[in-house]
């Protein structure tokens, strides 16, 4: 697995993401700058990490979605290459047109930073094959704009085509109510592109890969990617 992590002005999770990728693949990922024009030859996976790209001016991810490097990321995705966006990376994927919908302010208008349970909706993708379908995992969230929204037709298509990747849930897998931390439609925490080669999600699996920091439920996502190459 040859991975590349895109760093924008304001990114702050690129180090955690690089460690998670190296742990799973045995290789350090390439670190690319937002003003670069090309991906390294042979890149399998592009990762957009969390942070506050360009200070989150305009809307979160709006400027990053139009950065020079994103033309190369869009071309990579069109070829069927894997793309992962986490938190601000999810927002950038929506703003760049690689995923539908957008991320709005949390329903309670407050930044949330806490551990959160997720339900794995399917395990037949390059991102989730090391999980079980319906498995409840615990990772962390840290965002102020994670409230996923789209028009009714888009939500129906995502649900009908099995493109919801993860949903917020309680420890027993129950959906709704207090288990939804930000008001996202249908408890959506992450979605796939039509070809399921692009994944955007708000929680941070890269922070739960070592028992010393609270758990390893994020590790299977990176192990899934490592085995996909």
């Amino acid at each position: 697995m040859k991975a590349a992590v895109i760093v924008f002005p304001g990114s702050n999770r690129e180090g955690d993401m690089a460690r998670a990728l190296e742990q799973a693949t045995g290789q350090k990922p390439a670190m690319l700058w937002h003003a670069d024009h090309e991906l390294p030859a042979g890149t399998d996976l592009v990762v957009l990490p969390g942070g506050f790209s360009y200070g989150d001016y305009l809307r979160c991810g709006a400027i990053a979605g139009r950065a020079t490097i994103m033309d190369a990321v869009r071309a990579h995705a069109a070829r069927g290459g894997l793309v992962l966006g986490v938190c601000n990376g999810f927002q950038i994927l929506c703003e760049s047109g690689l995923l539908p919908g957008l991320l709005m302010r949390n329903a309670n208008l407050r930044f949330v930073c806490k551990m959160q349970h997720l339900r794995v909706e399917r395990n037949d993708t390059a991102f989730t094959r090391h999980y079980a379908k319906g498995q409840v995992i615990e990772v962390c969230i840290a965002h102020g704009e994670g409230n996923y929204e789209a028009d009714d037709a888009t939500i129906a298509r995502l649900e009908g085509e099995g493109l919801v990747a993860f949903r917020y849930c309680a420890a027993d897998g129950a959906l709704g109510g207090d288990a939804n931390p930000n008001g996202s439609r249908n408890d959506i925490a992450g979605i796939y592109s039509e070809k399921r080669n692009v994944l955007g999600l708000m929680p941070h699996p890269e922070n739960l890969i070592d028992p010393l920091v609270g758990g390893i439920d994020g590790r299977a996502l990176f192990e899934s990617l490592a085995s996909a190459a």
Side-chain angles (χ1 to χ4, degrees), residues 13-24 29 206-207 209:
R13 296 299 185 100
E14 66 271 22
D16 297 319
M17 190 61 74
R19 279 191 290 274
L21 291 166
E22 184 176 2
Q23 181 193 77
E206 75 275 18
N207 289 150
I209 62 165

Side-chain angles (χ1 to χ4, degrees), residues 156-224:
R157 183 176 65 81
L158 291 172
E159 295 287 359
E161 297 180 7
L163 299 178
V164 176
F166 298 93
R167 296 185 203 272
Y168 300 110
C169 70
D172 62 358
L175 303 176
D178 292 339
N180 184 332
N182 54 34
S184 286
R185 283 279 294 272
N186 294 14
D187 307 295
I188 290 174
I191 60 170
Y192 295 112
S193 63
E194 184 177 350
K195 296 179 181 177
R196 297 194 293 278
N197 62 316
V198 179
L199 168 63
L201 73 161
M202 286 310 297
H204 289 273
E206 75 275 18
N207 289 150
L208 274 297
I209 62 165
D210 189 324
L212 287 174
V213 293
I216 58 170
D217 282 5
R219 186 184 290 177
L221 185 144
F222 298 98
E223 292 173 341
S224 298

Side-chain angles (χ1 to χ4, degrees), residues 78-132:
R79 293 191 296 269
L82 298 170
V83 181
L84 169 65
V86 172
C87 199
N88 191 227
F90 186 10
Q91 296 161 344
I92 295 169
L93 289 174
C94 291
E95 293 288 344
S96 68
L98 283 165
L99 290 175
L102 76 164
L103 284 306
M104 299 170 54
R105 291 283 303 275
N106 296 340
N108 63 8
L109 303 183
R110 294 183 177 181
F111 191 94
V112 292
C113 182
K114 68 187 187 80
M115 298 298 289
Q116 172 68 46
H117 290 95
L118 302 178
R119 192 176 76 187
V120 181
E121 294 300 289
R122 58 188 302 168
N123 69 337
D124 59 347
T125 78
F127 302 90
T128 57
R129 62 186 56 177
H130 282 236
Y131 291 115

Side-chain angles (χ1 to χ4, degrees), residues 34-101:
H34 69 118
D36 289 337
H37 290 78
E38 297 179 351
L39 304 177
T43 297
D44 300 300
L45 167 69
V46 176
V47 181
L48 309 179
F52 302 90
S53 58
Y54 300 93
D56 278 349
Y57 287 105
L58 298 181
R59 296 183 305 275
C60 298
I63 302 176
R66 293 153 179 80
T68 302
I69 192 63
M70 291 306 296
D71 287 337
V73 177
R74 279 186 282 267
H76 173 76
R79 293 191 296 269
L82 298 170
V83 181
L84 169 65
V86 172
C87 199
N88 191 227
F90 186 10
Q91 296 161 344
I92 295 169
L93 289 174
C94 291
E95 293 288 344
S96 68
L98 283 165
L99 290 175

